[in-house]
Amino acid sequence: HHARYSGLPAAEAAVASETKFFRANSRGAAVTGLRALTPHPPHRRLDPTERPLQMVYDYLATIGYADSLRVQREAANSDLSCMIRFYTEKPLSADQMERTLLKGVFSVRKGKTQLHKWAERQVILCGTCLIVASVKDSLTGKMHILPLVGGKVEEVKRRMHCLMFSSSGPQAQTYYVNFDTQAEYLRWHRQASKVVSQTISLVDLSCYSLEEVPEYLFYSQDVTHLNLRHNFMKMEGPGGLQFSQLKSLNLSHNRLGVFPESICEILSLTELNLSCNGLRAVPTQIGNLESLQTLSLDGNHLDSLPEELGGLSQLCSLGLSFNNFTTVPAVLEKLTGVDRLAMAGNRVETLELGSLARMGHLKSIDLRLNGLHMLQSGSPDVLKLITHMDVRDNHLTSLDLSSACNLETLNCQHNHLGALTLSGFALRALYASGNRLSTVNIYPVPNQLTHLDLSRNSLEYLPDWVCDTRKIEVLDITHNLLSELPGRLLSSLSLRKLLAGNNQLCRLPDLLDHIPLEALDLQHNKLSELPENFFYKALNLRYLNLSANSLETIPPSSPSEESLSTLQELYLTSNNLSEHCAALLVGHQNLRVLHMAYNQLLSFPASKLSKLELLEELNLSGNNLKTIPSTVSSCKRLHTLIAHSNHITVFPEILGLPEIKLVDLSCNELTEILLPDSLPPTLQELDLTGNSSLILEHKTLNLFRLFGVDVKIVPSESSFGYQQSLVQLCVSVLAVDHFGGSMEAAYGIFDGDRNEEVPRLLQCTMGDVLSEEIQHSSVDTVYMCNTFLTSHRKLGMAGQKLGASALLCYIHHEAAATDQSGYFSLTLANVGTCQAVLCRDGQPLPLSKVFSLEQCTEETERVKQGKAIVTEDNKVSGVTCCSRLLGCSYLFAWVLPKPWVRTEPLCAQDEFLIMGNRALFEKVSYQEAVTTVLAVRDPRAAAKKLCTLAQSYGCRDNVGAVVVALHVAEDSCTCEPPLAAGEGKPGTVGTVLPVAVTLGEPATPSSSSGIASEFSSEISASEVGSEAGSTASDEHPSSGPASRPDRLTHPALFQRQPSSATFSSNQSDNGLDSDDEVPLEGVISNGSKLEVEVDIHCCAFQIRSGSREDLKKSPSTSSLFGKKLSNGSVVALEDSHNLIEVALEAPKKKSGYFSAPAQQDPEDQLVVPASLEQDVWEQLRAQNAIVPGPPPTSSSPTSSARDTELENPQPSQLPQRDLVPPSALQQEVYDTAL
């Protein structure tokens, strides 16, 4: 593997001489022809011309590695074996052998009577038959075949390890087989039971690296269905599969390359699947299969079909999707039994309707993803018999199907349609979202129409025929320009579901009569009121979403006290409702979900809440509530209470509810919690972040831990906010405020869609990987791309079948060519559907690229060229809608881990960064997200609001949002030194003290202009690795910062405001705080948390790399370098340390409850007598070579040094040779932190 990328013959010959078999964790590759890992890793024999090292290099180049030297280094990494591997011989597993063949010599007796004796015979279980040889050790002579399908296999209780095998039918035969061991008995019983339970003679040998059919399988002449998909079958030569009764054969994904002519000799075939085999032609012998009814040729390279195919009179299904056809094959004219044209993913750019005139038997046409530009008109009778047409994801600008009088279903989403004309005689469903339609012409009125989707178009009014249709049940007109809804529409007697959100509706028409409407979505409109009789005319209404309107009140549920309302879900978020509206909800006694977040509620009437006994989810966030009524205890079914961002001071009485799962009371004014004697076993998460006055006693925390409750009590003062929407999440976040201990930062978000494992692994590893990659390259596209590719490799076995979208932001300093101060840049990389948007001058600036098949045409084309099968729900092989992910390596080379990379210089107009997953930005637009954060400002509260809005807008998926506040000014520093640089005393060197410990409120940040970015992260202890990056990687660069001095030792450019960092611990010994300890200066304990108030100046202290060894020898500091902290993060060997991390690992008493620094015991402190102070100081000067200066006169060397430095300040950047010796300075900082 040390050979160069080019010129490999010698190395390849050496490796190829030992390497016989090859496995790749992939389904297909454009370069090497790799294959799948489902459900077990298939292995194939290497061709004589294949070169293993070149195959590895091509594989790595395809996933994104560009540098040849890096490719060589990656090729030698053992972790790569999870994706590609070579063997010296074919690896076999017990499970594979069990499924293909079981054999052995056992005691056998034929028949149920005692006339036959027991004898040693060779027995084989293969396919659907039990085979018993005539002699003991040989398969020569007569072979007794026992068909098992429909038969019986039973345990013989009179004998140990004995089974009875019986065939079915009136001429049934029976064999008794006595096994030697229990393991053999169970293995045979398990496999035989599968065979006898089948209703058809099916043999499934898929995904087992077979090169040929097992020899003994040919004894099973009753086989009718044979599945050989995902193997490496060699069907060369005649007589490949001699089964007299074979009807169904599946040879898909077998890397055939050529259509096997031997298959054309199996005249009994009715179903043949040869998809995804790289076929370029179909032989003329295909005409021999006269019984063939279904032929699947999808995912090949076909561009024509032989005329002989037209002789298959019984053929009724022909799959030609994802090939290279440019026109509809003429042979289809003869295939009168084929009623569906399945040609999705080909290259038919122009469809000549005249060619369809001679194919009157076609009723369904599928031309998705063809790049179709136009339909050339022909005779009016051409489309007369067409009932279903699918032309989604093409480039059509107009579509006239008025002659298709029998058309029942039309799918034309995601085109560029400006005009659409249809016949309404038989139309039942129309899906036309994602176009540019201003109107739709249908004549006559489609009275059979039940489903109509016109969302995401440019409709300013609804066509009249929509109100005239008599059977319409579902109508989706969201994201249009509608200003009103016709009164006749809501009065429809058939309409069950109306989606009219994201329009410009100002009012709803009055309801004249009772309507059957069950679901109504009117979010994101301009409604200020609803009709007074709305609720008691819509008695069937179960779902109502009125979020993001201007409602000030809601109508009553009924004209009298008795209500017949069946409303179950009500969303009223982001309106102007007051507490008086809450009283009007009493009539909706069937409510299960109520969202009234971000309104003007001052209170919620206690008597009214008690009547909502069926309530399961209640969201009252973002109001002005001071309390949650005690009557909430009447809601016995309540499992979710979200009331963050209020002014609640008293913890509500909810912990006694039997089904409570999630409670979010963050960003309030809570001071204490009164707990019952026991907690409900269903409680999973309690979020109390942002309650700065909250005091939690140790027994309270212990009670939560005892019941396994995830309690979050991080304070709210933060420039970083992250929120998740559900208890069981598949979204994780990475937050490193001081990346590598420097003035840089890294943030990431990972969405696993339906799995939690991959996002957690990425959260734990990606920070370390980035830290390592920036040591190897300073080019942003290189180190970010390699970070993603290395993280993809580190997923190991978990990344084979599982995957995740990922987004990583790295904020770093760039040295300017003319200005020494430089500037900050944001480098972003992403795969999948996680997105980031930057707020610049109050407007959204999208930074990411969405890698989904619906939104990225170039990626769709790449996947098509790789001959992947894109299913009708726009998913690659039916698995994922993303073309780029971390993980899912078995989908190589259709799904790749190579990211999109972009670098954006930051400026003074950049206010904050928003990162979110697909679910967030599907419901919240970029503009609304920016407007939301601008109105809230506090990052944590803003992140929570974004998730709350997404949920109230109808999101049912996992939602994650990250908000990072940026404060970038035009100058180079925000720090004002107390004295000018030239005012120091002669003969001394002054330094700015890096830490200012205060007793009271944190100091106000300097008002001087400068480039300043504030990052602070407080993440709960339950989030793995979210504070300082990785715990899963053991590769820590020891000289990382030294290789990038421009990013670590630049002038004062990056400032962190004074803040309070809370440290909580899960490692308490007895849960008690020591009362005899003297309070530390700057360290405040309130019983529930311990705060260390520090002002981290932008000019952090510097340490010469040459003296690092001296520091490591110090007992008091050796634990601070290259060690995993108690929160799971890793402190690497760096020149600049985050002082809070230093304090976190300070010596502490074992009896203390917290992991924050505690006072040293008096007996552990070194006391120097006053008479010896002068001698000790001289010795210290001699050992550490301190810069000459007058000896201290104070009784404390430490305080003397501190006073000297305070009196002699120094500019922020000093020559290295003038610094105070590193060991002394480090000890100074350490003592100050304590």
Side-chain angles (χ1 to χ4, degrees):
H1 288 270
H2 294 287
R4 289 287 180 181
Y5 185 81
S6 59
L8 296 173
E12 292 290 354
V15 175
S17 64
E18 297 294 333
T19 303
K20 303 298 182 184
F21 287 86
F22 157 72
R23 175 182 72 88
N25 177 25
S26 53
R27 278 193 172 174
V31 178
T32 59
L34 313 183
R35 284 295 180 262
L37 180 70
T38 52
H40 301 285
H43 316 83
R44 70 169 176 85
R45 188 186 304 273
L46 285 173
D47 295 333
T49 58
E50 289 184 309
R51 299 154 61 183
L53 291 183
Q54 187 67 55
M55 293 173 65
V56 175
Y57 289 163
D58 290 343
Y59 183 91
L60 293 172
T62 303
I63 66 174
Y65 284 107
D67 181 63
S68 59
L69 294 178
R70 181 58 185 264
V71 168
Q72 293 180 34
R73 189 165 76 247
E74 289 294 323
N77 197 304
S78 60
D79 293 344
L80 196 63
S81 63
C82 292
M83 296 183 283
I84 183 170
R85 184 182 300 177
F86 298 89
Y87 299 86
T88 56
E89 61 183 14
K90 184 176 181 180
L92 297 176
S93 64
D95 181 56
Q96 176 180 348
M97 291 299 298
E98 179 178 328
R99 261 188 62 184
T100 56
L101 178 69
L102 289 177
K103 67 178 181 178
V105 178
F106 307 108
S107 295
V108 180
R109 193 189 79 186
K110 182 181 179 181
K112 296 183 179 181
T113 66
Q114 300 295 332
L115 298 177
H116 297 85
K117 298 181 179 181
W118 290 90
E120 296 287 329
R121 292 289 183 268
Q122 182 142 344
V123 186
I124 300 172
L125 178 59
C126 185
T128 60
C129 296
L130 183 73
I131 306 170
V132 182
S134 299
V135 294
K136 176 179 178 181
D137 298 324
S138 176
L139 294 177
T140 59
K142 185 179 179 181
M143 306 294 292
H144 301 276
I145 311 299
L146 184 69
L148 293 178
V149 176
K152 294 187 297 182
V153 55
E154 298 177 350
E155 177 186 1
V156 179
K157 298 183 179 180
R158 300 189 305 271
R159 298 179 65 93
M160 183 177 295
H161 306 154
C162 185
L163 290 176
M164 181 188 73
F165 297 89
S166 300
S167 60
S168 61
Q171 304 296 327
Q173 292 182 330
T174 302
Y175 279 88
Y176 292 84
V177 181
N178 205 110
F179 299 95
D180 299 330
T181 64
Q182 176 74 5
E184 288 179 330
Y185 164 81
L186 293 175
R187 188 181 303 116
W188 283 70
H189 191 195
R190 180 170 57 247
Q191 185 62 23
S193 298
K194 294 178 182 179
V195 177
V196 299
S197 63
Q198 296 176 177
T199 56
I200 58 175
S201 296
L202 168 66
V203 177
D204 184 1
L205 298 177
S206 59
C207 305
Y208 276 95
S209 308
L210 297 177
E211 296 177 353
E212 58 186 12
V213 177
E215 179 183 358
Y216 301 114
L217 185 61
F218 291 107
Y219 286 102
S220 303
Q221 283 300 307
D222 63 332
V223 172
T224 59
H225 296 71
L226 180 59
N227 185 1
L228 294 171
R229 64 189 296 267
H230 278 300
N231 284 290
F232 301 101
M233 300 296 298
K234 297 180 179 179
M235 306 295 295
E236 302 170 355
L241 296 173
Q242 296 299 323
F243 294 98
S244 59
Q245 301 182 37
L246 190 62
K247 295 182 178 180
S248 175
L249 176 61
N250 189 342
L251 279 169
S252 61
H253 298 273
N254 263 274
R255 200 170 174 261
L256 294 173
V258 179
F259 194 110
E261 295 183 4
S262 60
I263 294 179
C264 300
E265 300 175 5
I266 310 176
L267 304 183
S268 59
L269 276 181
T270 60
E271 180 180 358
L272 177 60
N273 189 340
L274 289 170
S275 301
C276 301
N277 274 293
L279 305 181
R280 298 186 179 274
V282 178
T284 57
Q285 291 86 343
I286 189 69
N288 297 337
L289 303 178
E290 296 181 355
S291 300
L292 202 61
Q293 300 176 11
T294 301
L295 177 61
S296 299
L297 298 171
D298 306 294
N300 287 290
H301 301 280
L302 302 174
D303 54 13
S304 63
L305 295 175
E307 290 293 330
E308 288 75 9
L309 188 65
L312 304 182
S313 59
Q314 298 188 40
L315 193 67
C316 58
S317 176
L318 177 61
L320 300 175
S321 298
F322 299 97
N323 279 281
N324 298 332
F325 292 99
T326 56
T327 59
V328 178
V331 71
L332 285 172
E333 299 176 11
K334 302 178 182 179
L335 297 174
T336 56
V338 177
D339 61 355
R340 184 173 187 266
L341 177 64
M343 292 187 62
N346 279 276
R347 300 176 181 177
V348 182
E349 297 184 358
T350 301
L351 179 62
E352 298 180 1
L353 297 181
S355 63
L356 300 179
R358 297 179 295 274
M359 304 177 188
H361 47 85
L362 292 179
K363 295 183 179 180
S364 176
I365 297 178
D366 182 2
L367 291 172
R368 296 177 295 119
L369 297 164
N370 265 276
L372 195 63
H373 288 280
M374 62 179 298
L375 301 181
Q376 288 187 353
S377 60
S379 171
D381 297 333
V382 170
L383 301 175
K384 193 171 184 180
L385 299 178
I386 299 296
T387 59
H388 295 78
M389 179 173 285
D390 192 342
V391 290
R392 282 177 289 170
D393 300 288
N394 284 293
H395 306 297
L396 295 172
T397 56
S398 63
L399 186 60
D400 186 353
L401 298 176
S402 55
S403 60
C405 56
N406 287 308
L407 186 65
E408 297 179 2
T409 303
L410 174 63
N411 293 85
C412 57
Q413 306 97 305
H414 306 295
N415 279 276
H416 309 301
L417 294 176
L420 178 61
T421 304
L422 303 174
S423 169
F425 282 108
L427 193 63
R428 296 179 181 272
L430 171 60
Y431 304 97
S433 62
N435 285 285
R436 303 167 182 173
L437 296 171
S438 57
T439 187
V440 178
N441 297 314
I442 299 182
Y443 182 83
V445 174
N447 286 324
Q448 304 298 321
L449 187 68
T450 58
H451 289 73
L452 176 60
D453 183 359
L454 296 175
S455 61
R456 298 186 182 276
N457 279 284
S458 302
L459 298 175
E460 296 183 0
Y461 62 91
L462 275 182
D464 292 338
W465 58 263
V466 176
C467 303
D468 295 334
T469 184
R470 300 174 182 176
K471 296 184 179 180
I472 185 74
E473 295 180 3
V474 179
L475 175 60
D476 187 352
I477 48 176
T478 57
H479 293 277
N480 278 283
L481 305 174
L482 301 173
S483 57
E484 63 177 356
L485 292 178
R488 293 187 301 154
L489 179 65
L490 289 179
S491 300
S492 170
L493 298 179
S494 61
L495 190 62
R496 298 290 187 272
K497 184 177 183 179
L498 174 60
L499 308 178
N502 295 91
N503 281 283
Q504 301 174 7
L505 302 177
C506 298
R507 59 177 297 274
L508 284 184
D510 293 331
L511 300 180
L512 302 179
D513 203 350
H514 294 284
I515 59 175
L517 197 64
E518 297 177 1
L520 177 61
D521 189 342
L522 295 171
Q523 61 174 291
H524 285 92
N525 280 287
K526 300 178 180 179
L527 299 174
S528 58
E529 61 178 0
L530 295 178
E532 185 69 19
N533 63 348
F534 178 78
F535 283 118
Y536 46 90
K537 291 294 184 180
L539 295 178
N540 291 334
L541 197 63
R542 288 175 171 81
Y543 174 94
L544 176 61
N545 196 326
L546 294 167
S547 301
N549 279 283
S550 302
L551 296 175
E552 296 182 357
T553 186
I554 57 174
S557 59
S558 66
S560 61
E561 293 184 0
E562 294 185 3
S563 174
L564 300 177
S565 171
T566 58
L567 191 64
Q568 297 180 2
E569 299 182 45
L570 178 60
Y571 299 88
L572 298 170
T573 296
S574 293
N575 281 282
N576 299 319
L577 302 175
S578 64
E579 59 273 12
H580 302 293
C581 299
L584 300 174
L585 298 173
V586 177
H588 304 292
Q589 296 185 5
N590 293 306
L591 268 182
R592 295 187 297 104
V593 179
L594 175 60
H595 283 217
M596 295 187 70
Y598 297 98
N599 281 281
Q600 308 296 327
L601 301 181
L602 297 177
S603 63
F604 199 101
S607 59
K608 310 302 181 183
L609 183 60
S610 63
K611 296 184 179 180
L612 301 178
E613 297 179 352
L614 302 180
L615 200 62
E616 298 176 7
E617 179 179 330
L618 177 61
N619 193 328
L620 298 174
S621 304
N623 285 284
N624 297 310
L625 300 177
K626 294 184 178 180
T627 183
I628 300 293
S630 60
T631 51
V632 70
S633 58
S634 302
C635 306
K636 300 298 183 183
R637 298 187 180 182
L638 191 69
H639 59 70
T640 301
L641 174 63
I642 304 177
H644 62 77
S645 306
N646 280 285
H647 305 290
I648 298 174
T649 57
V650 180
F651 192 82
E653 300 178 9
I654 53 173
L655 297 182
L657 296 176
E659 299 183 15
I660 193 70
K661 293 181 180 179
L662 184 149
V663 179
D664 187 352
L665 293 172
S666 58
C667 301
N668 278 287
E669 300 172 6
L670 295 175
T671 56
E672 61 178 350
I673 296 179
L674 299 178
L675 295 180
D677 295 335
S678 62
L679 297 178
T682 56
L683 184 61
Q684 300 179 25
E685 182 175 338
L686 174 61
D687 192 346
L688 301 175
T689 59
N691 290 278
S692 56
S693 302
L694 180 62
I695 299 177
L696 287 183
E697 298 180 355
H698 68 276
K699 62 180 182 180
T700 301
L701 291 174
N702 285 341
L703 183 60
F704 283 126
R705 294 192 185 100
L706 179 64
F707 284 85
V709 181
D710 180 13
V711 182
K712 301 179 180 179
I713 53 174
V714 185
S716 62
E717 293 82 1
S718 173
S719 292
F720 164 79
Y722 173 56
Q723 174 63 15
Q724 301 168 322
S725 66
L726 300 175
V727 177
Q728 296 297 331
L729 280 177
C730 301
V731 183
S732 296
V733 69
L734 169 71
V736 189
D737 289 332
H738 295 273
F739 186 68
S742 68
M743 292 173 286
E744 303 177 348
Y747 299 98
I749 186 169
F750 316 106
D751 183 6
D753 193 19
R754 290 294 182 270
N755 78 88
E756 297 181 62
E757 185 175 0
V758 172
R760 287 295 186 185
L761 289 174
L762 293 174
Q763 178 193 48
C764 294
T765 58
M766 215 161 194
D768 280 350
V769 174
L770 176 61
S771 179
E772 181 180 352
E773 291 297 337
I774 60 179
Q775 314 308 321
H776 300 311
S777 175
S778 59
V779 181
D780 50 7
T781 55
V782 174
Y783 65 72
M784 288 299 272
C785 182
N786 288 347
T787 295
F788 273 64
L789 299 181
T790 304
S791 299
H792 174 74
R793 169 172 55 78
K794 285 180 174 289
L795 291 176
M797 299 297 293
Q800 290 185 352
K801 295 183 181 180
L802 304 178
S805 299
L807 184 144
L808 183 65
C809 292
Y810 174 41
I811 302 176
H812 53 90
H813 180 256
E814 299 286 355
T818 57
D819 186 3
Q820 293 183 354
S821 62
Y823 59 93
F824 278 93
S825 292
L826 185 152
T827 297
L828 175 142
N830 79 285
V831 293
T833 54
C834 288
Q835 303 167 54
V837 57
L838 181 68
C839 175
R840 174 167 291 175
D841 200 17
Q843 297 299 318
L845 175 63
L847 300 178
S848 53
K849 183 176 182 178
V850 180
F851 287 102
S852 69
L853 298 184
E854 290 185 354
Q855 302 184 42
C856 192
T857 55
E858 59 268 27
E859 284 295 292
T860 303
E861 187 62 29
R862 180 183 65 80
V863 171
K864 282 176 54 180
Q865 290 179 357
K867 298 305 173 185
I869 302 298
V870 180
T871 52
E872 293 188 359
D873 54 355
N874 267 332
K875 291 185 177 181
V876 180
S877 293
V879 177
T880 175
C881 63
C882 298
S883 60
R884 302 204 182 188
L885 288 174
L886 294 185
C888 282
S889 54
Y890 79 104
L891 292 175
F892 172 88
W894 307 325
V895 177
L896 298 176
K898 185 178 181 180
W900 156 270
V901 181
R902 172 174 176 174
T903 296
E904 185 71 25
L906 297 177
C907 61
Q909 288 75 34
D910 297 330
E911 300 181 60
F912 51 83
L913 173 71
I914 303 175
M915 297 186 291
N917 66 336
R918 172 191 54 82
L920 175 68
F921 288 111
E922 276 186 351
K923 297 298 181 181
V924 182
S925 65
Y926 288 153
Q927 184 61 60
E928 183 177 6
V930 167
T931 304
T932 298
V933 179
L934 283 173
V936 177
R937 291 295 180 179
D938 174 48
R940 177 170 283 106
K944 285 183 171 294
K945 183 173 182 179
L946 289 175
C947 289
T948 296
L949 293 181
Q951 286 182 300
S952 294
Y953 297 162
C955 179
R956 294 293 182 269
D957 210 341
N958 296 308
V959 182
V962 180
V963 176
V964 181
L966 305 172
H967 300 283
V968 184
E970 298 176 355
D971 207 327
S972 62
C973 184
T974 61
C975 306
E976 298 178 351
L979 293 175
E983 295 182 3
K985 295 183 180 180
T988 64
V989 178
T991 59
V992 178
L993 191 65
V995 179
V997 182
T998 60
L999 288 173
E1001 294 295 327
T1004 305
S1006 171
S1007 60
S1008 62
S1009 62
I1011 298 178
S1013 298
E1014 302 165 12
F1015 298 96
S1016 175
S1017 172
E1018 288 85 14
I1019 306 300
S1020 70
S1022 64
E1023 296 186 8
V1024 180
S1026 61
E1027 291 191 20
S1030 168
T1031 60
S1033 174
D1034 294 330
E1035 303 171 5
H1036 305 301
S1038 59
S1039 60
S1043 63
R1044 296 173 63 86
D1046 59 310
R1047 300 195 178 186
L1048 296 176
T1049 59
H1050 55 269
L1053 299 173
F1054 207 81
Q1055 178 172 337
R1056 174 174 173 174
Q1057 282 189 345
S1059 63
S1060 297
T1062 299
F1063 306 100
S1064 62
S1065 171
N1066 295 328
Q1067 302 172 354
S1068 172
D1069 292 334
N1070 56 15
L1072 297 176
D1073 290 325
S1074 178
D1075 295 331
D1076 57 354
E1077 292 184 2
V1078 179
L1080 300 176
E1081 184 181 26
V1083 180
I1084 305 171
S1085 175
N1086 62 5
S1088 65
K1089 63 182 179 180
L1090 189 143
E1091 299 178 352
V1092 182
E1093 297 191 359
V1094 292
D1095 182 1
I1096 300 181
H1097 196 272
C1098 62
C1099 309
F1101 61 89
Q1102 301 177 358
I1103 302 177
R1104 283 198 298 244
S1105 59
S1107 62
R1108 193 173 292 155
E1109 292 297 324
D1110 296 334
L1111 290 177
K1112 292 173 69 176
K1113 294 177 182 178
S1114 172
S1116 61
T1117 58
S1118 61
S1119 64
L1120 301 178
F1121 297 91
K1123 177 185 176 182
K1124 291 185 178 179
L1125 300 180
S1126 59
N1127 64 352
S1129 62
V1130 177
V1131 179
L1133 302 176
E1134 297 166 340
D1135 289 341
S1136 177
H1137 294 273
N1138 184 338
L1139 196 58
I1140 291 183
E1141 290 182 349
V1142 174
L1144 181 60
E1145 286 299 309
K1148 44 191 171 286
K1149 293 183 67 175
K1150 294 184 178 181
S1151 61
Y1153 178 75
F1154 302 96
S1155 352
Q1159 177 100 358
Q1160 285 183 327
D1161 288 336
E1163 59 269 24
D1164 294 336
Q1165 299 178 357
L1166 178 61
V1167 180
V1168 180
S1171 59
L1172 298 179
E1173 285 182 359
Q1174 188 69 19
D1175 294 338
V1176 171
W1177 182 249
E1178 292 294 340
Q1179 293 181 14
L1180 290 175
R1181 287 179 55 192
Q1183 292 177 2
N1184 296 320
I1186 296 179
V1187 178
T1193 58
S1194 174
S1195 59
S1196 171
T1198 302
S1199 61
S1200 174
R1202 186 186 298 111
D1203 295 340
T1204 302
E1205 294 181 15
L1206 287 174
E1207 292 175 3
N1208 298 277
Q1210 188 75 2
S1212 59
Q1213 189 174 16
L1214 298 174
Q1216 193 75 309
R1217 56 185 174 83
D1218 294 336
L1219 287 175
V1220 176
S1223 58
L1225 182 56
Q1226 172 66 14
Q1227 187 63 45
E1228 177 77 13
V1229 173
Y1230 186 79
D1231 292 342
T1232 305
L1234 290 179

